[in-house]
Amino acid sequence: MPATDKSPNKTYVEHLERGELAYQFSPEAGKPVFYPRVLCPHTGSSRLEWRVSKGLGTVYATTVVHPGEGKPYNVALIDCDEGFRLMSRVEDIAPDRVQIGMRVRLRVHRPGGEDDPYPVFTPEEGV
Amino acid sequence: MGGLQRGSAAIVGVAESDLGQVAEGMSVVDLMAQGVSRALDDCGLRLKDVDGLFSATTQSRLSVVALAEYLGLDPAFTGSTIVGGSSFEYHVAHAMAAIEQGLCKVAVIAYGSTQRSVGRKQASVREVNPYEGPFRPFMPSSAYALAASRHMHQFGTTREQLAAVAVAAREWALLNPAAWEKKPLTVEGVLSARMVSYPFTVRDCCLVTDGGGAIIVTSAERARSLKKAPAYVLGCGQSTTHSSISNMPDLTVTGALAAGKAAYAMAKLGPADVDAVELYDAFTINTILFLEDLGFCKKGEGGAFVEGGRVAPKGSLAVNTNGGGLSYCHPGMYGLFLLIEAVRQLRGECGARQVKDCEVALAHGNGGVLSTQATVILGTSAAL
């Protein structure tokens, strides 16, 4: 494996800064890989292509966190249409109304300051 | 043929350290040493007999080194595999392998935690995961809550069924003088408690206590000359399926399936042969998932299985007979206590909570967020 000049996470974050959710694809396995890494966990190969998700997915699992202070909020696992899963949250809807099977669309959240942008989702009707 | 040899080693000594809220200033190694001293007394061996040392804790970076120094030992063999709460079930397999290979003769496996005294944040360093951290899951509860949401969606499991697990654990705990919880609990009491991460209230979640202990493993041959009846190690199995919950392949199927399969195969036993079932119940969903994956009921039927007091005292299957992590004790890495209770059940030492004619006991450890699963099947000489 050659030296790495840019970390997988750095590439991922740069895509988010452009408003994109990036993932890797292993041509040898014919499968997506997420989170980004330096080798494919299916084959061990370092051949991984970067792709950009269309940003559509389905809620796989969901919970509502009730913090000691502050309002309850959603945490969900989203299955993106390209076949990879990530943790996120569904916004623009009460956290307890987020349902497994719900169709959702990507929105890049930009917390500002030192924090990297990250992918959140919103309900998507009829997709 | 390779692999561990069924019944080649036995657990001969077991003990808890002080539990619950320990004396001010007690260190995790103080608690390990208490456990070691009591476990040695339990089997009649002495510190100078110990030549294998295993430990895990979140509060000491090189815990086995700290423990060796504290005990004044230079052990021939050390192990400090740390894979979360199931570490101690892994240690049993590793100790057995070391004993079979002649690398040590008497192995101690020790644990200590003061997470109640020092606080959870002090007891366990949080690692930054850039793919989960921004969403502020309340870990580990939210990971298990996500698994529960999936089980409820796929199989119709209800919050009442989850609560039945907590109620059964409490009923067992009321029969265990060492248990932290002393008051009865109802399904309504679970459902109306403070919500943590839906569908879990605080009563669906394990306790936060101090505690520790130790167990002693030696060869089957040597075990027979010691004070108490040996608990032979009949089967061991492990599985690592993921680290973070977003990478768990299927949230309704755990590595307990593979770990249990391997342990049953080695033990030449099946779920119907098990008299006492000790499962790592960090959350109520765990008991349901592990009952399914270890073959005590079919996949998806765990919710119905735990209803009607089936896993409570006087139920048809004795599950988590000490009161479990939910009601007895949970210092953060509970796996050692499963082994301690399994051994005591096999010896018939459990008083009011004793399982009748207990010949085979299963201890199933869970680590991380359903990440590492390890099954140890123990048996009396009758099961050998």
Side-chain angles (χ1 to χ4, degrees), chain A residues 6-109:
Chain A
K6 191 186 283 181
S7 75
N9 180 254
K10 175 83 174 155
T11 302
Y12 172 73
V13 170
E14 285 178 356
H15 276 281
L16 283 166
E17 282 165 350
R18 295 198 292 270
E20 297 169 350
L21 172 60
Y23 66 101
Q24 292 168 311
F25 184 80
S26 165
E28 285 164 43
K31 287 178 182 172
V33 171
F34 194 86
Y35 52 91
R37 47 196 103 179
V38 299
L39 62 72
C40 164
H42 307 293
T43 63
S45 166
S46 58
R47 248 190 87 207
L48 287 167
E49 299 167 356
W50 281 95
R51 293 187 178 181
V52 174
S53 168
K54 289 197 168 69
L56 286 170
T58 305
V59 176
Y60 173 73
T62 181
T63 183
V64 181
V65 178
H66 292 252
E69 289 172 17
K71 285 184 180 169
Y73 56 90
N74 176 254
V75 174
L77 299 182
I78 309 296
D79 281 342
C80 285
D81 288 0
E82 292 85 0
F84 67 95
R85 181 179 299 159
L86 74 164
M87 182 175 282
S88 185
R89 66 169 172 258
V90 183
E91 297 187 337
D92 297 352
I93 181 175
D96 60 350
R97 289 193 55 227
V98 178
Q99 301 282 331
I100 290 174
M102 183 180 267
R103 293 288 289 160
V104 289
R105 181 183 288 276
L106 172 74
R107 174 160 77 201
V108 175
H109 180 79

Side-chain angles (χ1 to χ4, degrees), chain B:
Chain B
M1 189 184 136
L4 296 173
Q5 301 302 304
R6 179 187 194 273
S8 72
I11 301 176
V12 293
V14 298
E16 295 131 322
S17 69
D18 293 352
L19 302 178
Q21 176 101 41
V22 299
E24 193 185 342
M26 286 291 278
S27 75
V28 295
V29 192
D30 285 328
L31 293 176
M32 287 183 187
Q34 271 190 338
V36 172
S37 169
R38 292 173 188 171
L40 287 168
D41 283 347
D42 188 51
C43 62
L45 287 168
R46 289 189 287 177
L47 200 50
K48 68 175 180 54
D49 297 313
V50 175
D51 61 352
L53 201 57
F54 295 76
S55 67
T57 172
T58 60
Q59 291 171 258
S60 169
R61 209 177 287 270
L62 308 176
S63 69
V64 79
V65 183
L67 182 61
E69 174 187 86
Y70 192 112
L71 299 175
L73 293 176
D74 177 3
F77 194 88
T78 60
S80 43
T81 291
I82 182 155
V83 292
S86 57
S87 298
F88 313 96
E89 282 72 26
Y90 282 68
H91 291 170
V92 169
H94 298 172
M96 190 178 193
I99 290 164
E100 283 186 4
Q101 293 300 313
L103 302 176
C104 65
K105 294 184 175 69
V106 174
V108 160
I109 300 170
Y111 170 60
S113 161
T114 57
Q115 73 160 5
R116 186 172 188 88
S117 295
V118 303
R120 272 183 70 223
K121 282 188 179 144
Q122 287 292 321
S124 184
V125 178
R126 292 286 132 183
E127 292 171 36
V128 179
N129 176 341
Y131 305 100
E132 293 194 350
F135 307 103
R136 294 177 296 141
F138 182 62
M139 286 302 191
S141 310
S142 293
Y144 290 84
L146 288 165
S149 81
R150 197 67 214 171
H151 207 277
M152 293 166 85
H153 173 78
Q154 253 174 266
F155 305 118
T157 307
T158 64
R159 285 187 62 203
E160 286 75 10
Q161 290 170 337
L162 293 170
V165 171
V167 170
R170 183 62 59 88
E171 288 178 19
W172 283 110
L174 296 179
L175 303 176
N176 181 1
W180 174 259
E181 295 287 359
K182 304 290 185 195
K183 291 182 188 158
L185 181 67
T186 62
V187 166
E188 185 44 42
V190 177
L191 299 181
S192 63
R194 178 173 61 82
M195 189 59 75
V196 175
S197 193
Y198 188 89
F200 296 152
T201 70
V202 68
R203 295 290 161 220
D204 288 285
C205 305
C206 57
L207 304 170
V208 178
T209 67
D210 299 332
I215 65 173
I216 317 257
V217 185
T218 192
S219 67
E221 190 185 5
R222 183 144 190 196
R224 285 190 266 276
S225 67
L226 297 174
K227 225 156 116 181
K228 293 183 176 171
Y232 295 98
V233 183
L234 303 179
C236 297
Q238 298 94 25
S239 178
T240 305
T241 49
H242 59 281
S243 175
S244 53
I245 196 66
S246 39
N247 287 282
M248 183 169 178
D250 178 344
L251 264 63
T252 65
V253 182
T254 74
L257 186 67
K261 209 172 176 182
Y264 287 134
M266 179 178 158
K268 301 186 174 70
L269 295 170
D273 301 306
V274 180
D275 302 305
V277 185
E278 310 298 342
L279 306 175
Y280 195 122
D281 58 341
F283 299 90
T284 47
I285 189 66
N286 293 40
T287 303
I288 289 172
L289 287 169
F290 300 152
L291 284 169
E292 293 172 350
D293 291 336
L294 294 169
F296 295 99
C297 62
K298 285 187 186 149
K299 179 51 66 186
E301 294 180 1
F305 187 83
V306 300
E307 284 181 312
R310 192 175 278 121
V311 297
K314 298 186 184 130
S316 58
L317 186 66
V319 177
N320 296 352
T321 52
N322 54 7
L326 291 167
S327 277
Y328 148 68
C329 159
H330 196 288
M333 287 164 56
Y334 171 71
L336 191 72
F337 301 98
L338 302 162
L339 294 160
I340 293 172
E341 179 68 7
V343 169
R344 287 178 174 160
Q345 286 289 349
L346 292 172
R347 290 175 176 173
E349 293 180 336
C350 290
R353 68 181 193 281
Q354 179 62 45
V355 176
K356 200 166 165 276
D357 302 326
C358 186
E359 305 290 358
V360 176
L362 180 151
H364 180 79
N366 160 75
V369 289
L370 295 167
S371 314
T372 62
Q373 305 293 326
T375 311
V376 176
I377 299 174
L378 301 171
T380 64
S381 57
L384 196 58

